[in-house]
């Protein structure tokens, strides 16, 4: 990633345009939070939990995921128990963003709150495969498969979700002037 290629390095993602490039990890439909974060490891702490994220869906994922990689999934990603730790564990693995046909509503709210970008893009599962190189513009919803040259536009976040992502999550947002103004406006 060069200085003028428009790609935001992971370390700078909160401070500039939200475009990520990474390798794709593709998963199917109805991936529950219990599969994302196996019950046996939830209480052992994040360093242990990240060694097992999504291992029941793809045993290679926790061993080989790299910082900046992108998860692509089918329908209803993050369904079931609504474990708030599931998006935190995915983010702790270094995943830059998740694109899915659609997310469970609880997971969809939890991702941006911790600064994990999510894009819903119907048709994405048929477009990409594990190992493809992807580029995603979070703000516009544009997903490019750099391996095949195909593109699809999903629904990028807007409003408060986008502001949360720009700040790195809900808590960092509330520590900014814009976040304080939102709280003051909500209190009136």
């Amino acid at each position: 990633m060069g200085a003028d290629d428009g790609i935001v390095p992971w370390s700078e993602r909160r401070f500039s345009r939200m475009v990520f490039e990474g390798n794709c990890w593709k998963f199917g439909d109805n991936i529950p939070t219990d599969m994302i974060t196996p019950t046996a490891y939830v209480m052992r702490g994040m360093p242990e939990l990240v060694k097992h994220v999504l291992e029941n869906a793809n045993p290679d994922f926790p061993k080989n995921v790299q910082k900046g990689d992108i998860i692509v999934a089918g329908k209803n990603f993050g369904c079931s128990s609504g474990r708030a730790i599931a998006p935190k564990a995915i983010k702790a693995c270094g995943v830059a963003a998740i694109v899915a046909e659609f997310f469970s509503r609880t997971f969809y709210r939890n991702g941006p709150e911790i600064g994990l970008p999510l894009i819903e893009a119907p048709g994405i599962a048929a477009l990409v495969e594990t190992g493809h190189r992807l580029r995603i513009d979070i703000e516009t919803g544009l997903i490019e498969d750099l391996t095949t040259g195909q593109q699809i536009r999903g629904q990028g976040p807007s409003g408060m979700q986008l502001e949360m992502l720009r700040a790195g999550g809900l808590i960092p947002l509330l520590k900014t002037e814009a976040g304080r103004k939102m709280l003051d406006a909500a209190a009136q």
Side-chain angles (χ1 to χ4, degrees):
M1 289 190 281
D4 59 356
D5 64 5
I7 305 303
V8 178
W10 179 260
S11 62
E12 298 174 20
R13 73 185 195 107
R14 290 175 34 200
F15 307 107
S16 53
R17 193 167 154 236
M18 298 181 67
V19 177
F20 304 109
E21 187 176 314
N23 291 322
C24 172
W25 290 91
K26 183 177 170 182
F27 296 92
D29 294 340
N30 301 310
I31 301 294
T33 55
D34 298 348
M35 186 179 288
I36 297 168
T37 51
T39 304
Y41 304 101
V42 168
M43 301 306 286
R44 295 189 185 180
M46 194 59 74
E48 184 65 21
L49 183 57
V50 298
K51 296 176 188 174
H52 303 281
V53 169
L54 287 162
E55 72 180 354
N56 292 327
N58 181 341
D60 291 331
F61 179 80
K63 297 177 206 165
N64 298 312
V65 64
Q66 298 292 310
K67 186 178 276 192
D69 283 355
I70 297 163
I71 290 176
V72 172
K75 299 173 184 145
N76 208 23
F77 186 83
C79 59
S80 191
S81 70
R83 286 185 182 165
I85 192 126
K88 291 177 185 175
I90 289 172
K91 184 177 177 185
C93 288
V95 168
I98 306 174
V99 181
E101 300 276 336
F102 68 85
F103 294 91
S104 81
R105 293 299 85 186
T106 302
F107 193 93
Y108 192 71
R109 285 189 306 271
N110 287 338
E113 286 182 4
I114 56 124
L116 179 63
L118 307 177
I119 293 181
E120 290 187 323
I124 188 66
L127 189 73
V128 303
E129 294 298 332
T130 293
H132 285 194
R133 190 81 178 161
L134 305 180
R135 181 180 295 148
I136 300 176
D137 186 322
I138 300 301
E139 294 178 30
T140 67
L142 182 65
I143 301 121
E144 300 173 85
D145 185 327
L146 300 176
T147 304
T148 66
Q150 293 184 296
Q151 296 181 356
I152 190 169
R153 189 172 301 275
Q155 180 64 46
S158 61
M160 187 164 174
Q161 270 193 340
L162 185 56
E163 291 306 313
M164 278 192 286
L165 291 171
R166 285 180 178 146
L170 179 59
I171 300 302
L173 174 63
L174 294 176
K175 293 178 181 178
T176 68
E177 183 63 29
R180 286 188 289 278
K181 286 179 183 178
M182 280 192 264
L183 281 177
D184 289 345
Q188 295 178 2

